[in-house]
């Protein structure tokens, strides 16, 4: 379950996906990965309160002496948002990239928001974040075979700001890379399973090299468009 965001303006954290989270993680204890923020304890507490409103128990993976070993027997994980460069570097240094991938391929449920959603992609390269630290590589967990741009913002036709729009940045990405990128607007999330990738909550925009962007509404299935479910390179 891959969310664009965990917080919407004026609403409780994760309230837009509360029922979906309750169904997705039903009957499972969820290990929370807080490494995208500096305050691991505080972040875990905030997210535990949000998950409790879905009737779910959340525990901080950072409290475990050997987080990678803990993941070997985990049946559910959720990776929170924040700075995706810091998150990926920490996952790499703690041996969690492969450990989480193996757990999910073994049947564990994976959820993420923002930076946590970026981690499910083949690489980090479509994040919006500033590189405040340097990861060992841009290779992420690679649970899906396409890229996601969380918090996607449409160009403002009335703006006088001369900086790059999100659409322009993704066009630059496709000058160098030939892989689909799904721009998830705020409030949108994906459900991924062995038979499909389905959009929920809000609209999204699909970018592919050499093609015009395509708009999609909740209920759209991206596997029927030729967007692969898994990263065949792994």
């Amino acid at each position: 379950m891959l969310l664009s965001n965990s917080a919407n303006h004026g609403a409780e954290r994760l309230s837009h996906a509360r029922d979906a989270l309750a169904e997705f993680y039903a009957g499972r204890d969820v290990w929370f990965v807080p490494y995208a923020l500096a305050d691991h304890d505080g972040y875990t507490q905030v997210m535990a309160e949000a998950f409790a409103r879905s009737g779910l128990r959340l525990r901080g993976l950072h409290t475990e002496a050997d987080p990678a070993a803990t993941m070997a027997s985990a049946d559910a994980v959720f990776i929170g948002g924040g700075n995706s460069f810091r998150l990926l570097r920490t996952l790499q240094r703690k041996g969690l990239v492969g450990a989480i991938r193996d757990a999910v391929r073994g049947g564990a449920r994976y959820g993420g928001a923002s930076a946590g959603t970026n981690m499910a992609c083949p690489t980090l390269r479509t994040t919006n974040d500033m590189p405040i630290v340097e990861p060992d590589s841009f290779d992420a967990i690679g649970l899906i075979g396409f890229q996601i741009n969380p918090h996607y913002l449409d160009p403002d036709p009335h703006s006088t700001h001369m900086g790059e729009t999100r659409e322009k940045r993704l066009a630059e990405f496709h000058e160098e890379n030939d892989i689909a990128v799904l721009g998830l607007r705020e409030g949108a999330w994906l459900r991924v399973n062995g038979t499909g990738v389905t959009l929920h909550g809000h609209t999204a925009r699909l970018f592919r090299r050499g093609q015009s962007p395509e708009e999609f509404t909740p209920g759209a299935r991206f596997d029927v468009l030729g967007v692969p479910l898994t990263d065949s390179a792994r």
Side-chain angles (χ1 to χ4, degrees):
M1 185 173 175
L2 305 176
L3 291 84
S4 176
N5 57 300
S6 62
N8 286 310
H9 179 70
E12 290 183 324
R13 188 178 295 268
L14 292 173
S15 60
H16 61 293
R18 187 172 295 162
D19 292 343
L21 285 166
E23 182 275 326
F24 182 67
Y25 285 122
R28 299 170 185 246
D29 286 339
V30 185
W31 286 104
F32 178 60
V33 180
Y35 301 128
L37 295 188
D39 181 1
H40 299 161
D41 290 336
Y43 194 10
T44 299
Q45 180 177 346
V46 167
M47 294 300 290
E49 292 169 356
F51 267 69
R53 289 190 282 271
S54 291
L56 300 168
R57 182 188 181 203
L58 195 77
R59 292 184 287 173
L61 189 63
H62 69 290
T63 62
E64 294 293 288
D66 189 342
T70 297
M71 283 307 307
S73 59
D75 64 357
V77 60
F78 188 91
I79 303 184
N83 187 277
S84 54
F85 289 89
R86 173 166 53 195
L87 172 59
L88 180 56
R89 186 179 74 165
T90 306
L91 294 180
Q92 290 168 341
R93 294 186 175 185
K94 291 183 177 294
L96 284 167
V97 173
I100 293 173
R101 184 189 303 128
D102 290 344
V104 175
R105 290 179 175 175
R109 294 288 176 95
Y110 180 99
S114 188
T117 288
N118 283 131
M119 294 302 102
C121 300
T123 79
L124 183 65
R125 289 174 294 173
T126 51
T127 181
N128 304 307
D129 296 332
M130 182 176 288
I132 61 173
V133 297
E134 184 177 4
D136 298 334
S137 75
F138 286 163
D139 290 342
I141 299 174
L143 301 175
I144 57 175
F146 58 96
Q147 292 292 127
I148 294 175
N149 179 241
H151 310 289
Y152 177 76
L153 289 173
D154 295 287
D156 181 356
H158 305 294
S159 176
T160 59
H161 178 60
M162 298 302 292
E164 297 167 317
T165 64
R166 196 70 58 78
E167 183 175 345
K168 174 61 176 175
R169 289 179 176 176
L170 293 178
E172 291 175 345
F173 173 83
H174 278 134
E175 290 172 357
E176 302 290 339
N177 302 278
D178 187 10
I179 184 172
V181 182
L182 186 63
L184 285 181
R185 295 185 175 95
E186 299 293 81
W189 70 87
L190 299 178
R191 283 291 301 266
V192 183
N193 57 38
T195 60
V197 179
T198 309
L199 177 65
H200 296 266
H202 201 358
T203 56
R205 202 171 194 207
L206 182 66
F207 297 84
R208 289 188 280 191
R209 189 176 191 177
Q211 300 182 37
S212 297
E214 299 174 77
E215 289 286 335
F216 295 93
T217 56
R221 287 177 52 120
F222 295 98
D223 48 304
V224 300
L225 299 173
V227 178
L229 294 179
T230 57
D231 183 357
S232 60
R234 293 192 184 277

